[in-house]
Amino acid sequence: MQILRAKGPLPGFKVVELDKVLPELVDLGEDREEANYRCRAQTYSHWVLMYVIAGTSRFGIEGRPEIMLKPGSIGCFPPNLSYWGQCGPEPKHHLLWVGLELDAVESRHPEWKLSQALNRVHAAHDLMDLERCFFQVIREATTPSLHQGCGLRLALDTLVLEVVRGFTEPKKIISLVSVHPAISKALDILETKFRKNWTLSELAEEVGLSRSRLAELFNLEAGYSIHKFLTKVRVRHAKTLLSHSDLPIGDIALECGFATIQHFSRVFKEVTGQAPLNFRRRCDDRDFRKLALSSERVG
């Protein structure tokens, strides 16, 4: 596995050589682009799943109508198609993508009928639940851990299943974890809209519960208070930006929903045991050691 950071001022990364961890996973990454950025036409020999977090994008596919993706949209692109991408006028564009060989997933789950469900270019919208699935695949792929291959396989299968559900039942996305529907919605809101400073009253209104009932159920089913859960989500996102981008720490603080760099640094250290700058340095040192070891092996 190798993590390639994006060149230029905007953070982003691409993970390659994932077949050493999971053979059917080709690559994945996170792209951030400026307004009106255009990507030249490319052809891939594998499936590509894209999820838009911010901004609008349109994609042109050879011999087919263009498709539009907005925040919460997913695009599915089969192999051996040539297509280009064009960002809209919004100042920030942020998307996640995963490249995979679908045959291996289909062989594990023939009842899903993936060849039928995903046999052409697809686009579906208002699927905010999928952001959490994409990030889970990225976390499993980029975080060496016990049984990493098994964890990555489960995360990938979950993502593909939710994508199929999104295309076949776009209004009936079902969580794989059986929790109270309001709590499931609250979890999705906090996972995907963590930049907002949610109050208990605002979140309760969003999910249709009273403040006291939401707080009680959330603690019971999520295992954390709402504030602690939101903090964990923000710190987790910050760790990704610190390790996979050159974005200044002050910008990362704002990107993750912290009002000041001082508040961000204090909370990050409380959760991880180290300051953001030290965390980034350790990640850089680890990447350097991996690169040096890889060069030695090649030599």
Side-chain angles (χ1 to χ4, degrees):
M1 181 190 72
Q2 185 177 5
I3 300 175
L4 307 176
R5 295 184 180 180
K7 297 179 180 178
L10 296 178
F13 63 89
K14 177 179 181 180
V15 185
V16 297
E17 299 177 2
L18 282 163
D19 58 315
K20 298 176 182 177
V21 182
L22 190 66
E24 57 266 32
L25 197 54
V26 180
D27 53 20
L28 54 80
E30 180 178 45
D31 287 339
R32 295 170 185 263
E33 305 295 349
E34 297 176 334
N36 303 313
Y37 173 82
R38 183 182 177 93
C39 177
R40 62 183 177 82
Q42 300 183 64
T43 303
Y44 299 93
S45 60
H46 54 271
W47 292 80
V48 177
L49 303 176
M50 293 185 181
Y51 177 83
V52 177
I53 295 177
T56 59
S57 299
R58 60 190 179 96
F59 292 87
I61 299 94
E62 184 178 6
R64 292 174 172 81
E66 294 182 3
I67 64 172
M68 291 291 299
L69 300 180
K70 60 181 182 179
S73 297
I74 182 173
C76 176
F77 301 89
N80 304 318
L81 287 180
S82 177
Y83 55 91
W84 51 264
Q86 172 78 52
C87 293
E90 300 85 3
K92 290 184 178 181
H93 293 80
H94 184 190
L95 65 84
L96 309 174
W97 52 269
V98 172
L100 71 154
E101 301 290 352
L102 202 63
D103 291 346
V105 181
E106 186 168 37
S107 67
R108 288 197 292 272
H109 307 286
E111 69 278 8
W112 295 356
K113 300 179 180 179
L114 296 179
S115 296
Q116 298 178 28
L118 305 177
N119 62 349
R120 57 186 175 82
V121 176
H122 280 280
H125 312 288
D126 301 320
L127 301 178
M128 283 69 174
D129 295 28
L130 284 174
E131 182 173 335
R132 185 164 49 173
C133 295
F134 271 87
F135 272 124
Q136 183 62 28
V137 173
I138 292 174
R139 283 196 295 271
E140 291 287 351
T142 57
T143 307
S145 59
L146 182 65
H147 306 309
Q148 182 183 11
C150 294
L152 186 53
R153 185 180 298 110
L154 288 171
L156 181 63
D157 286 358
T158 299
L159 171 62
V160 173
L161 176 58
E162 294 299 320
V163 168
V164 171
R165 286 172 168 170
F167 288 138
T168 56
E169 297 181 297
K171 300 302 181 182
K172 300 179 181 179
I173 300 300
I174 302 171
S175 173
L176 294 183
V177 182
S178 180
V179 298
H180 190 288
I183 302 306
S184 178
K185 184 176 181 180
L187 289 169
D188 290 334
I189 289 173
L190 296 178
E191 286 272 9
T192 58
K193 299 180 180 179
F194 54 84
R195 299 166 188 87
K196 175 180 170 63
N197 289 317
W198 290 94
T199 66
L200 182 58
S201 297
E202 289 172 334
L203 192 58
E205 184 176 353
E206 283 285 330
V207 303
L209 291 177
S210 68
R211 295 170 71 254
S212 59
R213 184 59 173 161
L214 172 60
E216 178 187 4
L217 282 178
F218 197 96
N219 272 286
L220 180 64
E221 302 206 28
Y224 300 102
S225 68
I226 292 171
H227 173 73
K228 189 171 183 179
F229 182 83
L230 181 58
T231 297
K232 284 182 173 290
V233 172
R234 288 173 168 175
V235 170
R236 186 179 67 213
H237 188 65
K239 289 169 71 175
T240 299
L241 293 177
L242 287 167
S243 59
H244 301 320
S245 80
D246 296 321
L247 199 65
I249 291 178
D251 291 350
I252 291 176
L254 295 176
E255 171 69 18
C256 296
F258 294 94
T260 66
I261 189 172
Q262 292 81 7
H263 182 217
F264 167 59
S265 298
R266 178 175 59 80
V267 171
F268 190 91
K269 189 171 183 178
E270 287 176 356
V271 175
T272 68
Q274 54 189 318
L277 185 57
N278 291 338
F279 178 85
R280 168 170 275 174
R281 286 171 177 167
R282 289 192 176 188
C283 290
D284 290 341
D285 290 343
R286 185 180 60 207
D287 291 343
F288 179 79
R289 287 195 297 271
K290 286 182 179 179
L291 181 60
L293 182 59
S294 176
S295 299
E296 290 176 3
R297 289 174 178 171
V298 172

